Amino acid sequence: MNQFHWTYWDHFGKQHVVGILHGIKTGHLVIHLNSKVLIIDFNVFQPKKYSFLINEEICELQIEAADSGFKYDLGVNEKQAAERKALKRVEEKKFMYQKIGAVILTSLLLFSITLLFYYIKQ
């Protein structure tokens, strides 16, 4: 049985441990993150790719056949990560416009109430 693990540090500085257990004879595969099972797959004898999220980062585990068994590689999908960051920027920009609009509306409301009280007192 092949066992591997990788230590992944996210952009917040938090450590994550990604591990795999892969039975060479049975082909059974278990992928776990911080001791919690993410993926279970059976009869994995051919090259395969698994994707999963670690704090909004898309990670890919690739399994390839090698001379003496299998080769395992863990990496971050840069293309999808860039797309997610672009979408996040658009959402943040939209949220910023909503906050600015709320501040302007609140200011106008307070200004109107102030003027109303001013004219009532006179």
Side-chain angles (χ1 to χ4, degrees), residues 2-65:
N2 287 342
Q3 296 183 23
F4 289 97
H5 74 276
W6 296 266
T7 303
Y8 176 79
W9 293 86
D10 63 15
H11 57 279
F12 297 113
K14 187 175 179 188
Q15 177 182 350
H16 302 276
V17 177
V18 179
I20 62 168
L21 302 167
H22 188 196
I24 298 298
K25 294 179 183 176
T26 62
H28 300 341
L29 176 78
V30 176
I31 302 173
H32 56 88
L33 172 65
N34 298 329
S35 300
K36 294 183 181 177
V37 175
L38 289 179
I39 299 169
I40 297 175
D41 200 0
F42 301 101
N43 299 322
V44 179
F45 296 110
Q46 301 297 322
K48 208 163 187 184
K49 186 189 302 185
Y50 297 93
S51 298
F52 50 91
L53 288 175
I54 300 178
N55 283 352
E56 299 183 12
E57 291 291 330
I58 299 174
C59 295
E60 291 183 340
L61 176 68
Q62 294 183 346
I63 300 174
E64 299 173 0

Coordinates of all heavy atoms in Angstrom, one line a residue, residues 2-65:
N2 N 0.6 2.1 -0.9 CA 1.4 3.4 -1.0 C 0.7 4.4 -0.1 O -0.5 4.5 -0.1 CB 1.4 4.0 -2.4 CG 2.3 3.2 -3.3 OD1 3.1 2.5 -2.9 ND2 2.1 3.4 -4.6
Q3 N 1.5 5.1 0.7 CA 1.1 6.2 1.5 C 2.0 7.4 1.3 O 3.2 7.3 1.4 CB 1.1 5.8 3.0 CG 0.3 4.6 3.4 CD 0.4 4.3 4.9 OE1 0.7 5.2 5.7 NE2 0.0 3.1 5.3
F4 N 1.3 8.5 1.0 CA 2.1 9.8 0.9 C 1.3 10.9 1.6 O 0.1 10.8 1.8 CB 2.2 10.1 -0.6 CG 3.1 9.3 -1.4 CD1 2.7 8.2 -2.1 CD2 4.5 9.5 -1.3 CE1 3.5 7.4 -2.8 CE2 5.4 8.7 -2.0 CZ 4.9 7.6 -2.7
H5 N 2.0 11.9 1.9 CA 1.3 13.1 2.5 C 2.1 14.3 2.1 O 3.4 14.3 1.8 CB 1.1 13.0 4.0 CG 2.4 13.2 4.8 ND1 3.3 12.2 5.0 CD2 2.9 14.3 5.3 CE1 4.3 12.7 5.7 NE2 4.1 14.0 5.9
W6 N 1.4 15.4 1.9 CA 2.0 16.7 1.6 C 1.5 17.7 2.6 O 0.4 17.6 3.1 CB 1.5 17.2 0.2 CG 2.0 16.3 -0.9 CD1 3.1 16.5 -1.7 CD2 1.3 15.2 -1.5 NE1 3.1 15.5 -2.7 CE2 2.0 14.7 -2.5 CE3 0.1 14.5 -1.1 CZ2 1.7 13.6 -3.3 CZ3 -0.3 13.4 -1.9 CH2 0.5 13.0 -2.9
T7 N 2.4 18.7 2.9 CA 2.0 19.8 3.8 C 1.7 21.0 2.9 O 2.6 21.4 2.1 CB 3.1 20.1 4.8 OG1 3.3 18.9 5.6 CG2 2.6 21.2 5.7
Y8 N 0.6 21.6 3.0 CA 0.2 22.7 2.2 C -0.1 23.9 3.1 O -0.8 23.8 4.0 CB -1.1 22.4 1.4 CG -1.7 23.5 0.6 CD1 -1.1 23.9 -0.7 CD2 -2.7 24.3 1.0 CE1 -1.6 24.9 -1.4 CE2 -3.2 25.4 0.3 CZ -2.6 25.7 -0.9 OH -3.1 26.7 -1.6
W9 N 0.6 25.0 2.8 CA 0.4 26.3 3.5 C -0.5 27.2 2.7 O -0.1 27.6 1.6 CB 1.7 26.9 3.9 CG 2.6 26.1 4.8 CD1 3.4 25.1 4.4 CD2 2.6 26.2 6.2 NE1 4.0 24.6 5.6 CE2 3.5 25.3 6.7 CE3 2.0 27.0 7.1 CZ2 3.8 25.1 8.0 CZ3 2.3 26.9 8.5 CH2 3.2 25.9 8.9
D10 N -1.7 27.6 3.2 CA -2.5 28.5 2.5 C -2.0 29.9 2.6 O -1.1 30.2 3.3 CB -4.0 28.3 2.9 CG -4.2 28.7 4.4 OD1 -3.4 29.4 5.0 OD2 -5.3 28.3 4.9
H11 N -2.7 30.8 1.9 CA -2.3 32.2 2.0 C -2.5 32.9 3.3 O -2.1 34.1 3.5 CB -2.9 33.0 0.8 CG -4.4 33.0 0.7 ND1 -5.1 31.9 0.2 CD2 -5.3 33.8 1.2 CE1 -6.3 32.1 0.3 NE2 -6.5 33.3 0.9
F12 N -3.2 32.3 4.2 CA -3.4 32.8 5.6 C -2.4 32.3 6.5 O -2.4 32.7 7.7 CB -4.8 32.4 6.1 CG -6.0 33.0 5.3 CD1 -6.8 32.1 4.6 CD2 -6.2 34.3 5.2 CE1 -7.8 32.6 3.9 CE2 -7.2 34.8 4.5 CZ -8.1 34.0 3.8
G13 N -1.5 31.4 6.0 CA -0.4 30.9 6.9 C -0.8 29.7 7.7 O -0.1 29.2 8.6
K14 N -2.0 29.1 7.3 CA -2.5 27.9 8.0 C -1.9 26.7 7.3 O -1.9 26.6 6.1 CB -4.0 27.9 8.1 CG -4.5 26.8 8.9 CD -6.1 26.9 9.0 CE -6.6 25.7 9.8 NZ -8.0 25.7 9.8
Q15 N -1.5 25.7 8.1 CA -1.0 24.4 7.6 C -2.1 23.4 7.4 O -3.0 23.2 8.2 CB 0.0 23.9 8.6 CG 0.6 22.6 8.2 CD 1.6 22.1 9.2 OE1 2.0 22.8 10.1 NE2 2.0 20.8 9.1
H16 N -2.0 22.7 6.2 CA -3.0 21.7 5.9 C -2.2 20.4 5.5 O -1.2 20.6 4.7 CB -3.9 22.1 4.8 CG -4.7 23.3 5.1 ND1 -5.9 23.3 5.8 CD2 -4.5 24.6 4.8 CE1 -6.4 24.5 5.9 NE2 -5.5 25.3 5.3
V17 N -2.6 19.3 5.9 CA -1.9 18.0 5.6 C -2.8 17.2 4.6 O -3.9 16.9 5.0 CB -1.5 17.2 6.8 CG1 -0.9 15.9 6.4 CG2 -0.6 18.0 7.7
V18 N -2.4 17.0 3.4 CA -3.1 16.2 2.4 C -2.4 14.9 2.4 O -1.2 14.8 2.2 CB -3.1 16.9 1.1 CG1 -3.8 16.0 0.0 CG2 -3.7 18.3 1.1
G19 N -3.1 13.8 2.5 CA -2.5 12.5 2.4 C -3.3 11.5 1.6 O -4.5 11.7 1.3
I20 N -2.7 10.5 1.1 CA -3.3 9.5 0.3 C -2.9 8.1 0.8 O -1.8 7.9 1.3 CB -3.0 9.6 -1.2 CG1 -1.5 9.4 -1.5 CG2 -3.5 10.9 -1.8 CD1 -1.2 9.2 -2.9
L21 N -3.8 7.2 0.6 CA -3.6 5.7 0.8 C -4.0 5.1 -0.5 O -5.2 5.3 -0.9 CB -4.4 5.2 2.0 CG -4.2 5.9 3.3 CD1 -5.2 5.4 4.3 CD2 -2.8 5.5 3.9
H22 N -3.1 4.3 -1.1 CA -3.5 3.7 -2.4 C -3.0 2.3 -2.4 O -1.8 2.0 -2.3 CB -2.8 4.5 -3.5 CG -3.2 4.1 -4.9 ND1 -2.5 4.4 -6.0 CD2 -4.3 3.4 -5.3 CE1 -3.2 3.9 -7.1 NE2 -4.2 3.3 -6.7
G23 N -4.0 1.4 -2.5 CA -3.6 -0.1 -2.5 C -3.2 -0.4 -3.9 O -3.9 -0.3 -4.9
I24 N -2.0 -0.9 -4.1 CA -1.4 -1.2 -5.4 C -2.2 -2.4 -6.0 O -2.5 -2.4 -7.2 CB 0.1 -1.5 -5.3 CG1 0.8 -0.3 -4.8 CG2 0.6 -2.0 -6.6 CD1 0.8 0.9 -5.7
K25 N -2.5 -3.4 -5.2 CA -3.1 -4.6 -5.8 C -4.6 -4.4 -6.0 O -5.2 -4.9 -6.9 CB -2.9 -5.8 -4.8 CG -1.4 -6.2 -4.8 CD -1.3 -7.4 -3.8 CE 0.2 -7.8 -3.8 NZ 0.5 -8.8 -2.8
T26 N -5.3 -3.7 -5.0 CA -6.7 -3.6 -5.1 C -7.1 -2.3 -5.9 O -8.2 -2.2 -6.4 CB -7.3 -3.4 -3.7 OG1 -6.8 -2.3 -3.0 CG2 -7.1 -4.7 -2.9
G27 N -6.2 -1.3 -5.9 CA -6.5 0.0 -6.6 C -7.4 0.9 -5.8 O -7.8 1.9 -6.2
H28 N -7.7 0.5 -4.5 CA -8.5 1.4 -3.7 C -7.7 2.6 -3.3 O -6.5 2.5 -2.9 CB -9.0 0.6 -2.4 CG -9.8 -0.6 -2.7 ND1 -10.5 -0.8 -4.0 CD2 -10.1 -1.6 -2.0 CE1 -11.1 -1.9 -3.9 NE2 -10.9 -2.5 -2.7
L29 N -8.4 3.8 -3.3 CA -7.7 5.0 -3.1 C -8.5 5.9 -2.1 O -9.7 6.0 -2.2 CB -7.5 5.8 -4.4 CG -6.9 7.2 -4.2 CD1 -5.4 7.1 -4.1 CD2 -7.3 8.1 -5.4
V30 N -7.8 6.4 -1.1 CA -8.4 7.3 -0.1 C -7.6 8.6 -0.1 O -6.4 8.5 0.1 CB -8.5 6.7 1.3 CG1 -9.0 7.7 2.3 CG2 -9.3 5.4 1.3
I31 N -8.2 9.7 -0.2 CA -7.6 11.0 -0.1 C -8.1 11.7 1.1 O -9.4 11.8 1.2 CB -7.8 11.9 -1.4 CG1 -7.3 11.2 -2.6 CG2 -7.1 13.3 -1.2 CD1 -7.6 11.9 -3.9
H32 N -7.3 12.2 2.0 CA -7.7 12.8 3.2 C -7.0 14.2 3.4 O -5.9 14.4 2.9 CB -7.6 12.0 4.4 CG -6.2 11.5 4.7 ND1 -5.3 12.2 5.4 CD2 -5.5 10.4 4.3 CE1 -4.1 11.6 5.5 NE2 -4.3 10.4 4.8
L33 N -7.8 15.1 4.0 CA -7.3 16.4 4.3 C -7.4 16.7 5.8 O -8.5 16.6 6.3 CB -8.1 17.5 3.5 CG -7.8 18.9 3.9 CD1 -6.4 19.3 3.5 CD2 -8.8 19.9 3.1
N34 N -6.3 16.9 6.5 CA -6.3 17.1 7.9 C -7.1 16.0 8.7 O -7.9 16.2 9.5 CB -6.9 18.5 8.3 CG -6.1 19.6 7.7 OD1 -4.9 19.5 7.6 ND2 -6.8 20.7 7.4
S35 N -6.8 14.8 8.3 CA -7.3 13.6 8.8 C -8.8 13.4 8.6 O -9.5 12.6 9.3 CB -7.1 13.5 10.3 OG -5.7 13.5 10.6
K36 N -9.4 14.1 7.6 CA -10.8 13.9 7.3 C -10.8 13.4 5.8 O -10.2 14.0 5.0 CB -11.6 15.3 7.4 CG -11.7 15.7 8.8 CD -12.5 17.0 8.9 CE -12.6 17.4 10.4 NZ -13.3 18.7 10.5
V37 N -11.6 12.4 5.6 CA -11.7 11.8 4.3 C -12.4 12.7 3.3 O -13.5 13.2 3.6 CB -12.4 10.4 4.4 CG1 -12.6 9.8 3.0 CG2 -11.6 9.5 5.3
L38 N -11.7 12.9 2.2 CA -12.3 13.8 1.1 C -12.9 12.9 0.0 O -14.0 13.1 -0.5 CB -11.3 14.7 0.5 CG -10.8 15.9 1.3 CD1 -9.7 16.6 0.5 CD2 -11.9 16.8 1.7
I39 N -12.1 12.0 -0.5 CA -12.4 11.2 -1.6 C -12.1 9.7 -1.4 O -11.0 9.4 -0.9 CB -11.7 11.7 -2.9 CG1 -12.0 13.1 -3.2 CG2 -12.0 10.8 -4.1 CD1 -11.1 13.8 -4.2
I40 N -13.0 8.8 -1.8 CA -12.7 7.4 -1.8 C -13.0 6.9 -3.2 O -14.1 7.3 -3.8 CB -13.6 6.7 -0.8 CG1 -13.3 7.1 0.6 CG2 -13.4 5.2 -1.0 CD1 -14.2 6.5 1.7
D41 N -12.1 6.2 -3.8 CA -12.3 5.7 -5.2 C -11.8 4.3 -5.2 O -10.8 3.9 -4.5 CB -11.6 6.6 -6.2 CG -12.1 6.4 -7.6 OD1 -13.0 5.6 -7.8 OD2 -11.6 7.1 -8.5
F42 N -12.4 3.5 -6.0 CA -12.0 2.1 -6.2 C -11.5 1.7 -7.5 O -11.8 2.4 -8.5 CB -13.2 1.2 -5.9 CG -13.8 1.4 -4.5 CD1 -14.9 2.1 -4.3 CD2 -13.2 0.9 -3.4 CE1 -15.5 2.4 -3.1 CE2 -13.7 1.1 -2.1 CZ -14.9 1.8 -2.0
N43 N -10.6 0.7 -7.6 CA -10.1 0.2 -8.9 C -9.3 1.3 -9.7 O -9.6 1.5 -10.8 CB -11.1 -0.4 -9.7 CG -11.8 -1.6 -9.1 OD1 -11.1 -2.4 -8.4 ND2 -13.1 -1.7 -9.2
V44 N -8.5 2.1 -9.0 CA -7.7 3.1 -9.6 C -6.4 2.5 -10.1 O -5.4 2.4 -9.3 CB -7.4 4.3 -8.7 CG1 -6.6 5.4 -9.3 CG2 -8.7 4.9 -8.2
F45 N -6.3 2.1 -11.3 CA -5.1 1.5 -11.9 C -4.6 2.3 -13.1 O -3.5 2.1 -13.6 CB -5.4 0.1 -12.4 CG -5.8 -0.9 -11.3 CD1 -7.1 -1.4 -11.2 CD2 -4.8 -1.3 -10.4 CE1 -7.4 -2.2 -10.1 CE2 -5.2 -2.1 -9.3 CZ -6.4 -2.6 -9.2
Q46 N -5.4 3.3 -13.5 CA -5.0 4.1 -14.7 C -4.7 5.5 -14.2 O -5.2 5.9 -13.1 CB -6.2 4.2 -15.7 CG -6.6 2.8 -16.2 CD -5.5 2.2 -17.0 OE1 -4.7 2.8 -17.7 NE2 -5.3 0.9 -16.9
P47 N -4.0 6.3 -15.0 CA -3.8 7.7 -14.6 C -5.1 8.5 -14.4 O -6.1 8.3 -15.1 CB -3.0 8.3 -15.8 CG -2.4 7.2 -16.4 CD -3.3 6.0 -16.2
K48 N -5.2 9.3 -13.3 CA -6.4 10.0 -13.0 C -6.1 11.3 -12.3 O -5.0 11.4 -11.7 CB -7.2 9.1 -12.0 CG -8.7 9.3 -12.1 CD -9.4 8.1 -11.5 CE -10.9 8.3 -11.7 NZ -11.7 7.3 -11.1
K49 N -7.0 12.2 -12.3 CA -6.8 13.5 -11.6 C -8.0 13.8 -10.7 O -9.2 13.6 -11.1 CB -6.7 14.6 -12.7 CG -6.4 16.0 -12.1 CD -6.5 17.1 -13.1 CE -5.7 16.9 -14.3 NZ -5.7 18.0 -15.3
Y50 N -7.7 14.2 -9.5 CA -8.7 14.6 -8.5 C -8.6 16.0 -8.1 O -7.5 16.5 -7.9 CB -8.6 13.7 -7.3 CG -8.8 12.2 -7.5 CD1 -7.7 11.4 -7.8 CD2 -10.1 11.7 -7.5 CE1 -7.9 10.0 -8.1 CE2 -10.3 10.3 -7.8 CZ -9.2 9.5 -8.0 OH -9.4 8.2 -8.3
S51 N -9.7 16.7 -8.1 CA -9.7 18.1 -7.7 C -10.5 18.3 -6.4 O -11.5 17.7 -6.2 CB -10.3 19.0 -8.8 OG -9.5 18.9 -9.9
F52 N -10.0 19.2 -5.5 CA -10.7 19.5 -4.3 C -10.2 20.9 -3.8 O -9.2 21.5 -4.3 CB -10.4 18.5 -3.2 CG -9.0 18.1 -3.0 CD1 -8.2 18.8 -2.1 CD2 -8.4 17.1 -3.7 CE1 -6.9 18.5 -1.9 CE2 -7.0 16.8 -3.5 CZ -6.3 17.5 -2.6
L53 N -11.0 21.5 -2.9 CA -10.7 22.8 -2.4 C -10.0 22.8 -1.0 O -10.4 22.0 -0.2 CB -12.0 23.6 -2.3 CG -12.7 24.1 -3.5 CD1 -14.0 24.7 -3.2 CD2 -11.9 25.0 -4.3
I54 N -9.1 23.7 -0.9 CA -8.5 24.0 0.4 C -8.5 25.5 0.6 O -7.8 26.2 -0.1 CB -7.0 23.5 0.5 CG1 -6.9 22.0 0.3 CG2 -6.4 23.9 1.9 CD1 -5.5 21.5 0.3
N55 N -9.5 26.0 1.4 CA -9.7 27.4 1.6 C -9.7 28.2 0.3 O -9.0 29.1 0.1 CB -8.6 28.0 2.5 CG -8.8 27.6 4.0 OD1 -9.9 27.1 4.3 ND2 -7.8 27.9 4.8
E56 N -10.6 27.8 -0.6 CA -10.9 28.5 -1.8 C -9.7 28.4 -2.8 O -9.7 29.1 -3.8 CB -11.2 30.0 -1.6 CG -12.5 30.2 -0.8 CD -12.8 31.6 -0.7 OE1 -12.3 32.5 -1.4 OE2 -13.7 31.9 0.2
E57 N -8.8 27.5 -2.6 CA -7.7 27.2 -3.5 C -8.0 25.8 -4.1 O -8.3 24.9 -3.4 CB -6.4 27.2 -2.9 CG -5.9 28.5 -2.4 CD -5.5 29.4 -3.6 OE1 -5.1 29.0 -4.7 OE2 -5.7 30.7 -3.4
I58 N -8.1 25.7 -5.4 CA -8.4 24.5 -6.1 C -7.1 23.7 -6.2 O -6.1 24.1 -6.9 CB -9.0 24.7 -7.5 CG1 -10.3 25.5 -7.3 CG2 -9.2 23.4 -8.2 CD1 -10.9 25.9 -8.6
C59 N -7.0 22.6 -5.5 CA -5.8 21.7 -5.6 C -6.1 20.5 -6.4 O -7.3 20.0 -6.5 CB -5.4 21.2 -4.2 SG -4.9 22.6 -3.2
E60 N -5.1 20.0 -7.1 CA -5.3 18.8 -8.0 C -4.2 17.8 -7.6 O -3.1 18.1 -7.4 CB -5.1 19.2 -9.4 CG -6.2 20.0 -10.0 CD -6.0 20.3 -11.5 OE1 -4.8 20.2 -12.0 OE2 -7.0 20.7 -12.1
L61 N -4.7 16.6 -7.4 CA -3.9 15.4 -7.2 C -3.9 14.6 -8.4 O -4.9 14.1 -8.9 CB -4.3 14.6 -6.0 CG -3.6 13.3 -5.7 CD1 -2.2 13.7 -5.2 CD2 -4.3 12.5 -4.7
Q62 N -2.7 14.4 -9.0 CA -2.6 13.6 -10.2 C -1.9 12.3 -9.9 O -0.9 12.2 -9.2 CB -1.8 14.3 -11.3 CG -2.5 15.6 -11.8 CD -1.7 16.3 -12.9 OE1 -0.6 16.0 -13.2 NE2 -2.4 17.2 -13.6
I63 N -2.5 11.2 -10.4 CA -1.9 9.9 -10.3 C -1.5 9.4 -11.7 O -2.4 9.4 -12.6 CB -3.0 8.9 -9.6 CG1 -3.4 9.4 -8.3 CG2 -2.4 7.5 -9.6 CD1 -4.5 8.7 -7.6
E64 N -0.3 9.0 -11.8 CA 0.2 8.6 -13.1 C 0.9 7.2 -12.9 O 1.5 7.0 -11.8 CB 1.2 9.6 -13.6 CG 0.6 10.9 -13.9 CD 1.7 11.9 -14.3 OE1 2.9 11.6 -14.4 OE2 1.3 13.1 -14.5
A65 N 0.8 6.4 -13.9 CA 1.5 5.1 -13.8 C 3.0 5.3 -14.0 O 3.4 6.1 -14.8 CB 1.0 4.2 -14.9

